[in-house]
Structure formats: structure tokens, C-alpha cells
């Protein structure tokens, strides 16, 4: 058995600098590289930027252009293997400044349930491409990914899916085992297990969301996440929920990421959306995005 040091599941971000948040690349290397370029330009210019990607970097369609359905947005060829390489290189170039949060698609590689959006078993598909050594290395890396990032002064909490899970404190997340969710069926994931709800919930009530935020940080005001596709680039079902779509399922002109001053206290999801969302492809025409 290899010795596995405990890894923090809740990352605390600095109280100054520029925060970038992006979601759900699902093997879209072009979009990931563009986001990485925006982040690295900010590092060069200001020196204190931080990037949080809220999971689901991997698993995308591998279709030919003429097979591509309209509901998936702009065409791309899913290449999760290359995306993982680029993501790891970016993290190595900026130690402590780049945080990838665990998504349900990564969880499928380290104990979570099988995901089968584009292949019957998407984890097996990617592991076949990675080979034995690549798979071992990817799994070991993914096991260290946090679940949540908190920006205390900005009063933001980032996570993969809607903050529906019931926790009393950060320690509840630190204690979670990645494999524990296997005891639940796929359908039970979102409702019954803590990790399942954390990685699969598409929505929640204002009350549940505020309870989650409070457990992470009593001052937190807004939950920022992805997982679901917001075709117009973001959605606010209700406060304090800000769901952002940076890549997967959207047309290029609708894709959004968040840029926020870590020293600026957020008041509401609405305020953060209005002031902090930026187009990933400003030159591309909007399809569903308003404004
Ligand atoms: Mn997801």
C-alpha cells in the first residue's frame, strides 16, 4: 500500500488578488487553453491571480462534425487525455494558484459511479487511452483534488454542483471517503450520500444552499458551480445560486467564466453575475446569451 497523506478537501483562497472561476470543460482542449491563457495573462500583469476549475475537466463526445447534435453547442472533439496533460502542466507552472475541484466525471475514476453520457463507461474509455501507467498517475492526482474552494473575503464558495448536501462544518467534507458512495445506487447518489449530493445535485432550495455556505464559512453569500448546462452561459434559479457554463453544452459566444476581486465582498448571486461574468470567446456571436 502506498502511503497517502491526507489532502485538504476545502481550499481556502487568498484575501487579495484576482479570482477566475471556470466550469465543465469535458475534454474541450481549445476552451481550456483559452481559459489558461486568460489566467496566465493576468498572472503576468498582476502577479496574484488564482484559477478555480469546478470539475468535469474530462469526458466529452468524440463525434465527427456531421454527427454533432445541435444541443451540444459549438463543435469540438473531446480529448480528455490531452486536457489532463495541459491541466497538470498549468498547475505545475503556478503552484498553489490553480485548483481543480472534483467533478462527478473525475469521481468515476476514483470510486464513484460509472458515468455514461457519450460512452457506456466513460472512465474505462479514458483509462484505455491513458494506458496503465497514465491511469495510475491520473487516479493518484485526482484523489488529491479538493471538493470546495472558499474565498473568505469575497464571500464566495466554489463547488462542482448545486450546494444541496447537508453538512454541519468543513470537517464533514474532510472526513468523506471517495469510495463510500458505491453503496448507493446511481439514482440515490444525489439524494442520499453527502458526496453524491455534492457532485450531482442540479438545484437546491435557498435554505439548503445557505446552510451549506454557512457550514463552510458563516460570511459566505454566493455559491458558484457548474455541472448543469446553462445555455445562456449562466443561470440563477434563486439566491444564492450562481450556475456558470464555461464550455460544455454551449455555443462559443454564450460561454462565460467569472472574474472577481478576492478582496471584494460579494452581496448576491445576481450582483456577482452582473459584475463578474466575462465571455470566454468575446469575438463569437451570442446564440442564447442575453444582454
Ligand atoms: Mn458534472
Amino acid at each position: 500500500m502506498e502511503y497517502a497523506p491526507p489532502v485538504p478537501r476545502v481550499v481556502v483562497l487568498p484575501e487579495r488578488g484576482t479570482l477566475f472561476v471556470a466550469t465543465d470543460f469535458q475534454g474541450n482542449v481549445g476552451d481550456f487553453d483559452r481559459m489558461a491563457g486568460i489566467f496566465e495573462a493576468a498572472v503576468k500583469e498582476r502577479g496574484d491571480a488564482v484559477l478555480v476549475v469546478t470539475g468535469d475537466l474530462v469526458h466529452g463526445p468524440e463525434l465527427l462534425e456531421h454527427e454533432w447534435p445541435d444541443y451540444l453547442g459549438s463543435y469540438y472533439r473531446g480529448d480528455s487525455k490531452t486536457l489532463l496533460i495541459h491541466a497538470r502542466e498549468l498547475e505545475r507552472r503556478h503552484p498553489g494558484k490553480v485548483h481543480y475541484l472534483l467533478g462527478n466525471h473525475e469521481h468515476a475514476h476514483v470510486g464513484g459511479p460509472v458515468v455514461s453520457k457519450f460512452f457506456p463507461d466513460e472512465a474505462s474509455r479514458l483509462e484505455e487511452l491513458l494506458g496503465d501507467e497514465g491511469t495510475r498517475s491520473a487516479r493518484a492526482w485526482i484523489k488529491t483534488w479538493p471538493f470546495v474552494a472558499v474565498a473568505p473575503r469575497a464571500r464566495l464558495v466554489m463547488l462542482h454542483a448545486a450546494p444541496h448536501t447537508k453538512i454541519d462544518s468543513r470537517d464533514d467534507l474532510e472526513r468523506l471517503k471517495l469510495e463510500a458512495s458505491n453503496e448507493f445506487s446511481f439514482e440515490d447518489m444525489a439524494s442520499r450520500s453527502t458526496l453524491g449530493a455534492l457532485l450531482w445535485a442540479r438545484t437546491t432550495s435557498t435554505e439548503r444552499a445557505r446552510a451549506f455556505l454557512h457550514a463552510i464559512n458563516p460570511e459566505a453569500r454566493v455559491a458558484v458551480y457548474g455541472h448543469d448546462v446553462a445555455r445562456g452561459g449562466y443561470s440563477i434559479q434563486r439566491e444564492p445560486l450562481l450556475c456558470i457554463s464555461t464550455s460544455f453544452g454551449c455555443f462559443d459566444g454564450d460561454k462565460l467564466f467569472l472574474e472577481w476581486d478576492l478582496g471584494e465582498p460579494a452581496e448576491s448571486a445576481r450582483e456577482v453575475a452582473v459584475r463578474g461574468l466575462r465571455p470566454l470567446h468575446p469575438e463569437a456571436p451570442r446564440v442564447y446569451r442575453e444582454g
Side-chain angles (χ1 to χ4, degrees), residues 249-270:
C250 290
F251 289 97
D252 284 343
D254 300 333
K255 297 171 178 177
L256 297 174
F257 66 90
L258 178 66
E259 178 178 353
W260 193 262
D261 182 341
L262 283 164
E264 174 82 20
E267 296 296 337
S268 67
R270 179 59 57 190

Side-chain angles (χ1 to χ4, degrees), residues 22-38 74-76 83 246-252 255 280-281:
T23 69
D24 304 311
F25 289 104
Q26 296 212 213
N28 191 326
V29 176
D31 280 355
F32 178 86
D33 288 350
R34 183 175 274 247
M35 189 67 238
I38 291 165
S74 296
Y75 177 74
Y76 74 102
L83 204 150
T246 305
S247 181
F248 182 74
C250 290
F251 289 97
D252 284 343
K255 297 171 178 177
L280 184 66
H281 300 269

Side-chain angles (χ1 to χ4, degrees), residues 24 56 104-105 160 227:
D24 304 311
D56 285 1
N104 56 298
H105 283 275
H160 178 63
H227 181 57

Side-chain angles (χ1 to χ4, degrees), residues 135-203:
T135 295
R136 262 195 298 278
S137 164
R139 283 183 184 166
W141 182 39
I142 288 169
K143 280 180 183 172
T144 68
W145 290 14
F147 303 148
V148 167
V150 54
R153 193 165 165 78
R155 309 203 293 205
L156 301 175
V157 169
M158 277 60 67
L159 71 166
H160 178 63
H164 182 65
T165 204
K166 272 187 175 165
I167 55 166
D168 295 320
S169 72
R170 288 183 200 183
D171 284 347
D172 290 352
L173 296 181
E174 301 295 350
R175 277 194 292 265
L176 286 180
K177 288 195 170 48
L178 289 171
E179 296 81 3
S181 51
N182 271 350
E183 67 197 83
F184 297 104
S185 73
F186 185 80
E187 293 74 23
D188 284 346
M189 282 296 290
S191 58
R192 291 184 57 191
S193 89
T194 303
L195 190 54
L198 194 68
L199 301 183
W200 288 89
R202 294 189 186 279
T203 188

